[in-house]
Amino acid sequence: MKQVSFIHCADLHLDSPFKGLTYIPSDRLEDIRQSTFHVLANLTKAAIEHKVDFVLMVGDIFDQAEQSMQAHMALRQAFTKLQAHDIPVYMSFANHDFLQGQSFPHHYPENVYWFDSEQVQALPFYKEGELLAQIYGFSYEQRAIYIDKSKEYKKTSDSCLHIATLHGSKGKTEHAAYAPFQLQGLREMGFDYWALGHIHKREILSTNPVIAYPGNMQGRSIKETGEKGCYLVTLSEHDTDLHFLPLAPIIFEKRQISLKEYHQLDWLAEFMMTEINREQLHTVFLQLECLDVQVDQEAWFLDGKVTEMIDYANQQAENTFLIGLKWRPAKTQLRGQTGGRFLEEVEAVFAGNEVPEVMKTMITHPEGKKWTMDWEEAEQTAINEEARHLLDRLLRE
Ligand SMILES: [Mn+2]
């Protein structure tokens, strides 16, 4: 029976600049900037410890088309370490590190096999002279691929395991620019495993055969919460064993707290200190979201008292740091107020799905488009809520 063990990872985004992060204690910034390098070192270590047959890296190895020398050197060093343990790497580039944007030569050690064009190719994996698997894949030449690439995957006639790597997204609606595929289509093609990449949230889309996203390897903002890492896979013709390995040195988390029961300011301070003193194996960046903030509590936030508390808590912290505080007043008063036509119009904007006239100039402007195009529903709701609270506060002042 043919059997292989391998690591399936994707979306390393090596040398991510972490530009969007705010409120991070300045002496922690360097840890964050180094985290994608640390996770690569952890990956190398895990592959060696688990003695895997090979490593699959499914696209977006680098965060940007044009890369830093540090990123190239770190990647090469990781490959060399794997080579010393006879572990091959099968790798592709995708929308972040597409081929035509790269100028650095691809001189990798001999254990590294990479998909060098948008043409789907098969690369064989031999162990002690025996062909155990064919590994399929392609790289992005440009930053987008609008067609369903899965239709171009053709199994060779070899009697061995057939493992397909694909950096793309499911369906046609959401991210059609990234090699969109249909799940049912993949299921029916007879491959033993579909190693996906692109979506940063870990997800098993199908179990027979396994079609899975390992998620990205290091969360890059408060939108990418929880443990991050890779899959350790043992695959034979009859069985797939999938095991998640956490690798990320830094974890982002969110915690909600209702202030209804917190009548005193020092109770909130107490809560913060408990949160930062929790036993943690990793460095955790925690966003507190204070809900149901009562009218008389709003001053705590507006006068900067809570920010000051966070600064103090972070000075005491060892593993858990508070970042990016959010707070929401208990009740939006806009609705209850009799503010005449103005408030009615404001409410109509919030209630409707139509883009208000005044926004149209902004979202059609090339600069504005960048910031307003891709809101998910939850984000849109959060933005609306925040706008409503801001208006409410300003009107009362
Ligand atoms: Mn991608």
Side-chain angles (χ1 to χ4, degrees):
M1 188 183 69
K2 299 198 171 179
Q3 181 177 308
V4 291
S5 74
F6 60 91
I7 275 178
H8 167 200
C9 69
D11 299 274
L12 169 61
H13 288 268
L14 194 56
D15 208 7
S16 282
F18 290 94
K19 266 185 194 152
L21 290 179
T22 47
Y23 305 104
I24 304 276
S26 55
D27 49 349
R28 304 263 62 100
L29 265 177
E30 194 50 25
D31 291 353
I32 296 185
R33 293 215 180 95
Q34 290 301 317
S35 63
T36 55
F37 293 96
H38 291 156
V39 83
L40 174 61
N42 291 348
L43 171 81
T44 312
K45 223 168 92 189
I48 294 166
E49 266 171 27
H50 292 279
K51 299 189 167 68
V52 295
D53 291 317
F54 52 85
V55 173
L56 303 178
M57 300 178 86
V58 190
D60 290 351
I61 315 286
F62 300 114
D63 189 58
Q64 292 161 67
E66 198 58 57
Q67 301 101 27
S68 67
M69 290 315 299
Q70 192 193 1
H72 284 291
M73 289 166 77
L75 192 65
R76 196 187 162 80
Q77 194 191 11
F79 289 160
T80 310
K81 274 196 185 141
L82 292 171
Q83 186 183 31
H85 290 82
D86 275 326
I87 300 174
V89 176
Y90 296 84
M91 172 174 69
S92 59
F93 299 103
N95 53 306
H96 274 262
D97 49 7
F98 56 98
L99 296 174
Q100 293 191 11
Q102 297 190 24
S103 58
F104 197 75
H106 295 102
H107 293 155
Y108 299 120
E110 275 175 13
N111 60 321
V112 177
Y113 305 89
W114 60 284
F115 295 101
D116 62 359
S117 79
E118 221 159 277
Q119 207 79 27
V120 178
Q121 292 173 56
L123 300 170
F125 169 72
Y126 289 94
K127 194 175 181 179
E128 288 149 15
E130 188 190 2
L131 178 68
L132 286 190
Q134 288 283 6
I135 295 158
Y136 303 78
F138 67 90
S139 285
Y140 284 50
E141 283 173 19
Q142 298 289 349
R143 99 176 57 241
I145 292 181
Y146 296 96
I147 55 167
D148 183 347
K149 290 295 282 183
S150 70
K151 302 212 162 96
E152 297 168 26
Y153 285 63
K154 297 274 180 295
K155 273 166 65 177
T156 65
S157 57
D158 300 297
S159 134
C160 67
L161 296 162
H162 297 273
I163 300 168
T165 70
L166 172 62
H167 191 100
S169 59
K170 189 177 62 165
K172 290 208 163 102
T173 46
E174 205 184 340
H175 291 287
Y178 308 108
F181 60 83
Q182 299 296 319
L183 190 54
Q184 196 53 28
L186 301 195
R187 274 205 196 102
E188 287 163 358
M189 288 173 71
F191 287 84
D192 297 292
Y193 187 99
W194 281 90
L196 303 180
H198 184 61
I199 301 297
H200 287 188
K201 195 173 181 333
R202 182 167 71 251
E203 190 181 0
I204 297 168
L205 301 180
S206 159
T207 49
N208 187 25
V210 170
I211 303 174
Y213 285 110
N216 58 340
M217 299 170 67
Q218 168 62 59
R220 300 185 308 149
S221 75
I222 196 68
K223 282 160 93 182
E224 300 179 346
T225 54
E227 285 194 306
K228 298 277 182 184
C230 66
Y231 282 125
L232 175 64
V233 186
T234 310
L235 180 70
S236 71
E237 275 140 53
H238 310 293
D239 208 23
T240 311
D241 183 56
L242 207 60
H243 184 70
F244 172 69
L245 298 180
L247 299 174
I250 287 172
I251 290 179
F252 291 92
E253 295 283 4
K254 286 182 191 174
R255 191 97 67 241
Q256 292 192 328
I257 166 180
S258 165
L259 289 203
K260 235 186 251 168
E261 310 297 324
Y262 285 73
H263 303 298
Q264 308 293 334
L265 186 54
D266 55 335
W267 296 359
L268 183 57
E270 201 62 31
F271 176 84
M272 281 184 192
M273 295 311 281
T274 313
E275 284 300 319
I276 62 157
N277 285 316
R278 237 176 247 281
E279 219 35 66
Q280 304 281 9
L281 292 171
H282 308 271
T283 300
V284 176
F285 288 100
L286 180 68
Q287 181 182 64
L288 283 188
E289 195 176 0
C290 298
L291 304 174
D292 309 316
V293 175
Q294 311 295 305
V295 177
D296 58 331
Q297 292 171 327
E298 287 187 14
W300 302 354
F301 295 88
L302 297 172
D303 299 349
K305 291 199 180 73
V306 177
T307 322
E308 227 178 280
M309 281 157 62
I310 288 178
D311 283 345
Y312 179 78
N314 280 341
Q315 284 164 29
Q316 311 298 312
E318 279 173 37
N319 287 323
T320 303
F321 301 90
L322 302 172
I323 60 164
L325 174 80
K326 290 222 165 198
W327 65 280
R328 308 217 175 289
K331 190 170 130 239
T332 308
Q333 314 223 329
L334 274 182
R335 252 174 228 152
Q337 280 178 17
T338 43
R341 251 192 87 57
F342 171 69
L343 287 180
E344 272 170 40
E345 275 175 34
V346 170
E347 274 309 326
V349 169
F350 283 131
N353 294 320
E354 292 258 318
V355 177
E357 202 55 44
V358 48
M359 289 271 291
K360 277 184 185 149
T361 336
M362 185 169 85
I363 62 170
T364 49
H365 190 279
E367 270 307 305
K369 236 197 276 187
K370 281 188 209 160
W371 301 96
T372 52
M373 251 177 42
D374 277 334
W375 288 333
E376 289 162 19
E377 205 184 315
E379 281 176 286
Q380 182 66 62
T381 313
I383 290 166
N384 283 357
E385 277 298 286
E386 216 160 300
R388 203 194 294 265
H389 294 143
L390 189 62
L391 256 178
D392 178 43
R393 201 185 306 151
L394 289 173
L395 285 171
R396 273 188 290 139
E397 277 168 12

